[in-house]
Amino acid sequence: VQLVESGGGLVKPGGSLRLSCAASGFTFSSYSINWVRQAPGKGLEWVSCISATGNYIYYADSVKGRFTISRDNAKNSLDLLMNSLRPEDTAVYYCARSHQVVGLGGFDPWGQGTLVTVSS
Amino acid sequence: SYVLTQPPSVSVAPGQTATITCGGNNIGGEGVHWYQQKPGQAPVMVVYDDGDRPSGIPERFSGSSSGNTATLTISRVEAGDEADYYCQVWDTSSDHAAVFGGGTKLTVL
């Protein structure tokens, strides 16, 4: 079971960035997937969740209206489109699978993370 | 919004038992999950649904939850257990949102 994030980098405030998460080793279409971020030296902050079929999507208030989560079950992939980026969005972004097929559950496993830096 | 409160730090000598608490309103009615994060690494789940262990996690790690407090207990602490530990629940009271505690730094003396 593996999750691999990509797409991080340096972006100016107000800019956009698309993160991707490639999954392997499990039936991707059976699990909800989450994005969780961690600002430098800070704790974990949940960002967004998408259900197995994509019918249910949830966002943290801090990113609602700016970030969009999506998934392609045919390609075993997950995206996070981030618009109107702010310096406080600077963080390592992890994708994390629900630990169980039914319900929201905990997060297991996690990817290795991708760093997003928002700075002029 | 739902808030989870953890002590910033816990210290324990090798071989002893470490107890890390996570406080939240009626947290005993939620499913609490715990994660270990070592420096420069992604978090790893060590306990799910209050007290179950994922495969590969040593039996030394256990969890419980009742009332307003959930607890992660690490028995026979080893130097390799030194890490940050986070609790997490889902807040489904309004819109769905996952909530993490602020994290506890476990120091092995």
Side-chain angles (χ1 to χ4, degrees):
Chain A
V1 178
Q2 190 175 23
L3 298 167
V4 179
E5 303 92 338
S6 61
L10 175 63
V11 61
K12 289 181 168 55
S16 298
L17 205 60
R18 181 185 292 272
L19 304 184
S20 296
C21 174
S24 61
F26 64 98
T27 305
F28 182 74
S29 60
S30 294
Y31 291 84
S32 62
I33 310 287
N34 298 263
W35 287 99
V36 178
R37 69 185 180 182
Q38 187 170 35
K42 303 297 184 182
L44 301 173
E45 180 188 14
W46 172 79
V47 172
S48 182
C49 174
I50 186 167
S51 65
T53 59
N55 288 347
Y56 298 97
I57 289 175
Y58 309 111
Y59 296 101
D61 288 343
S62 58
V63 307
K64 203 171 292 184
R66 300 188 299 123
F67 289 13
T68 302
I69 192 172
S70 61
R71 65 188 295 162
D72 185 337
N73 285 345
K75 295 182 178 179
N76 290 352
S77 68
L78 176 81
D79 281 355
L80 184 70
L81 175 60
M82 304 185 295
N83 294 323
S84 303
L85 282 163
R86 305 165 179 168
E88 55 264 35
D89 295 318
T90 294
V92 174
Y93 285 73
Y94 297 99
C95 62
R97 192 196 74 175
S98 175
H99 85 280
Q100 60 191 27
V101 171
V102 177
L104 293 168
F107 307 141
D108 180 49
W110 299 57
Q112 86 287 351
T114 187
L115 176 62
V116 172
T117 303
V118 184
S119 174
S120 55
Chain B
S1 61
Y2 196 78
V3 176
L4 295 176
T5 302
Q6 297 182 236
S9 63
V10 168
S11 298
V12 64
Q16 299 303 303
T17 298
T19 301
I20 299 173
T21 59
C22 176
N25 186 34
N26 196 31
I27 196 173
E30 310 292 335
V32 183
H33 316 291
W34 290 91
Y35 307 91
Q36 175 194 69
Q37 186 180 33
K38 297 181 179 179
Q41 298 184 18
V44 172
M45 173 182 274
V46 293
V47 165
Y48 67 92
D49 292 347
D50 296 341
D52 292 329
R53 274 186 314 277
S55 60
I57 300 300
E59 292 183 5
R60 300 185 298 104
F61 289 82
S62 62
S64 63
S65 183
S66 179
N68 294 323
T69 304
T71 302
L72 174 69
T73 302
I74 309 171
S75 304
R76 303 180 300 283
V77 167
E78 303 173 355
D81 299 330
E82 187 162 288
D84 294 324
Y85 291 84
Y86 296 89
C87 57
Q88 177 253 318
V89 299
W90 279 94
D91 178 12
T92 58
S93 58
S94 54
D95 199 359
H96 292 64
V99 180
F100 286 96
T104 298
K105 169 66 175 177
L106 175 66
T107 299
V108 181
L109 300 171

